[in-house]
Amino acid sequence: MNAIDFYFDFASPYAYLAAMRIDELAARHDCTVRWRPVLLAGMLKVTGAVPSPLVPLKGDYVLRDLQRTARHHGIVYREPEQPVRLLLNAPRAMLWIEQKHGEDAAAAFARRCLQAYFAEGIDIDDERELRYLAGEQRIDGTLLTLGLRSETIKEAFKRQSEEAMRRGVFGVPYTITPDGEPFWGFDRFGQLEEWLAAARAVA
Amino acid sequence: MNAIDFYFDFASPYAYLAAMRIDELAARHDCTVRWRPVLLAGMLKVTGAVPSPLVPLKGDYVLRDLQRTARHHGIVYREPEQPVRLLLNAPRAMLWIEQKHGEDAAAAFARRCLQAYFAEGIDIDDERELRYLAGEQRIDGTLLTLGLRSETIKEAFKRQSEEAMRRGVFGVPYTITPDGEPFWGFDRFGQLEEWLAAARAVA
């Protein structure tokens, strides 16, 4: 089956909005989704960009745009209490789950974490919260904690972020179609869908 | 009649795309459009942002996105031969036309300049080209040249850019609805239209 690569950062609200829609979009075009966590901070180092909420003038606008965009798409969005920051535990936990329980379990965990963070006020940088969330999927919390702290997993996450940049990923959400076309931003999902439909018509 | 403020820079391709659609969008909701040229470079100084085509990794993507977005909306787009740069003559000419011939003539001139630059390969930083384009509207070229070079006009353009920033404008295209709601980017025109429709339903 054709797979769409979906790059996201657990700290990105626009990636959250995209994450709530990517599976159904892909399914409409007989595609699966490969969920790929990356570290946006590493990309911003290369591009020299600053997280939008911290940019003068732009910060207030972005908060307003997020609320409006979420409402427009019928998605619940509650601004996290914590300021913008690195979220490393969630992607590491996800990668450990991927290695031990497979891609589907990892994708379900990622979706659940994003919802918890951006709709339910749960701090997903807290290992205890991650254990609860994994527990909902009957994943062992103790093994998860050991796993996400391991050097192997830390390295795997770093490598995955670097590989994404080599493919040209410079921001999130970032989607690459089965035939290699890149789409940056939730606001390009209309064009992404059009692209997938056209590709199917040709096939 | 209710007026929408439409902020743009003559050098911004996304502002060009938006400019090709803003009038008909406004008309559908019984609004007029106040065309407001600004200097994006001044805003980028405040926000610390870099023009997208010059950002590592992002540059190539943006060119692809522009072509795709133009096609998606059925708008002709040809990348200008000149590299990204300041365009000062066109906005100054526009402001002089606004003072001497009124807002409608100025808006028509702005639309014509953007089309010339982004669809017809005409260098709108060249005063001679600006005279030709103004001539199509029977505006006197010699007076235009004197006007756009005058200190009064230079000052007026600078002031207008600064006023825009005081209203929170940090990028282009940037649109503010009659009731003060800001929308940044051509990709927010769907939400802008939804906002105008809702405002009319309430009125």
Side-chain angles (χ1 to χ4, degrees):
Chain A
M1 205 170 183
N2 287 326
I4 295 171
D5 287 317
F6 175 64
Y7 295 94
F8 66 101
D9 183 309
F10 282 91
S12 160
Y14 289 108
Y16 156 67
L17 298 178
M20 295 300 103
R21 290 294 178 262
I22 185 69
D23 288 310
E24 58 199 59
L25 188 157
R28 281 196 290 275
H29 301 279
D30 294 328
C31 291
T32 54
V33 179
R34 281 196 291 245
W35 287 62
R36 296 277 181 258
V38 294
L39 196 63
L40 180 60
M43 295 171 178
L44 298 184
K45 259 190 210 162
V46 174
T47 59
V50 170
S52 299
L54 306 181
V55 173
L57 293 180
K58 201 172 171 181
D60 287 345
Y61 175 84
V62 168
L63 297 183
R64 186 189 284 249
D65 181 63
L66 272 168
Q67 297 288 357
R68 220 164 43 193
T69 301
R71 202 164 53 230
H72 180 75
H73 291 276
I75 300 169
V76 177
Y77 173 74
R78 281 177 50 195
E79 203 193 317
E81 285 166 33
Q82 298 82 12
V84 179
R85 59 185 177 156
L86 290 187
L87 290 181
L88 289 166
N89 285 330
R92 288 171 180 166
M94 181 193 169
L95 286 189
W96 180 83
I97 291 172
E98 189 174 307
Q99 290 185 5
K100 299 298 168 188
H101 301 269
E103 288 214 354
D104 288 353
F109 178 75
R111 265 192 306 273
R112 185 69 193 89
C113 284
L114 287 163
Q115 266 178 328
Y117 193 57
F118 289 109
E120 299 167 27
I122 293 170
D123 178 5
I124 59 168
D125 206 36
D126 183 334
E127 289 184 1
R128 206 177 25 182
E129 300 287 4
L130 290 176
R131 282 196 296 273
Y132 288 139
L133 294 169
E136 294 175 8
Q137 288 177 249
R138 301 180 184 284
I139 288 167
D140 185 274
T142 313
L143 292 177
L144 177 76
T145 309
L146 290 171
L148 75 87
R149 289 180 185 171
S150 74
E151 287 306 316
T152 328
I153 287 294
K154 288 182 185 175
E155 262 308 305
F157 179 48
K158 214 179 140 204
R159 214 166 41 238
Q160 189 158 306
S161 272
E162 288 163 357
E163 270 169 29
M165 273 193 276
R166 274 195 292 278
R167 284 193 82 185
V169 179
F170 58 83
V172 292
Y174 200 100
T175 308
I176 301 180
T177 65
D179 58 347
E181 189 72 8
F183 291 89
W184 172 50
F186 181 43
D187 47 28
R188 291 298 182 272
F189 267 30
Q191 289 188 39
L192 165 63
E193 182 131 33
E194 200 175 57
W195 187 274
L196 294 172
R200 274 217 300 182
V202 171
Chain B
M1 206 171 184
N2 287 326
I4 296 171
D5 287 316
F6 175 64
Y7 295 94
F8 66 100
D9 183 310
F10 282 90
S12 160
Y14 289 108
Y16 156 67
L17 297 178
M20 296 299 103
R21 291 294 178 262
I22 186 68
D23 287 311
E24 58 200 60
L25 188 157
R28 281 196 291 275
H29 301 280
D30 294 328
C31 290
T32 54
V33 179
R34 282 197 291 245
W35 287 61
R36 296 277 182 255
V38 293
L39 196 64
L40 181 59
M43 294 171 179
L44 298 184
K45 258 191 212 163
V46 174
T47 60
V50 170
S52 297
L54 307 180
V55 173
L57 293 179
K58 200 171 171 182
D60 287 346
Y61 175 85
V62 168
L63 297 183
R64 187 190 283 250
D65 181 63
L66 272 168
Q67 297 287 357
R68 221 163 43 195
T69 301
R71 204 163 52 230
H72 180 74
H73 291 276
I75 300 170
V76 177
Y77 173 74
R78 281 177 51 195
E79 203 192 316
E81 284 166 35
Q82 298 82 11
V84 179
R85 59 186 177 153
L86 290 187
L87 290 181
L88 289 167
N89 284 331
R92 288 171 180 166
M94 180 192 169
L95 286 189
W96 180 82
I97 291 172
E98 190 174 306
Q99 290 186 5
K100 300 297 167 190
H101 300 270
E103 288 214 353
D104 288 351
F109 177 75
R111 266 193 305 273
R112 186 67 193 91
C113 284
L114 287 163
Q115 266 178 328
Y117 194 56
F118 288 109
E120 299 167 27
I122 293 170
D123 178 6
I124 58 167
D125 207 35
D126 183 333
E127 289 184 1
R128 207 176 25 181
E129 299 287 3
L130 291 176
R131 282 196 296 274
Y132 287 140
L133 294 169
E136 295 175 8
Q137 288 177 250
R138 302 180 185 280
I139 289 167
D140 184 274
T142 313
L143 292 178
L144 177 76
T145 309
L146 290 172
L148 75 87
R149 288 181 185 170
S150 73
E151 287 306 316
T152 329
I153 287 294
K154 287 182 185 175
E155 262 308 304
F157 179 48
K158 212 178 141 206
R159 213 165 42 238
Q160 190 158 305
S161 273
E162 288 164 357
E163 270 168 30
M165 275 194 275
R166 275 195 292 277
R167 284 193 82 184
V169 179
F170 58 84
V172 292
Y174 199 100
T175 308
I176 302 180
T177 64
D179 58 347
E181 189 72 7
F183 291 88
W184 172 49
F186 181 42
D187 47 29
R188 291 298 182 273
F189 267 30
Q191 289 189 40
L192 165 63
E193 181 132 34
E194 201 175 58
W195 187 275
L196 294 172
R200 273 217 301 182
V202 170

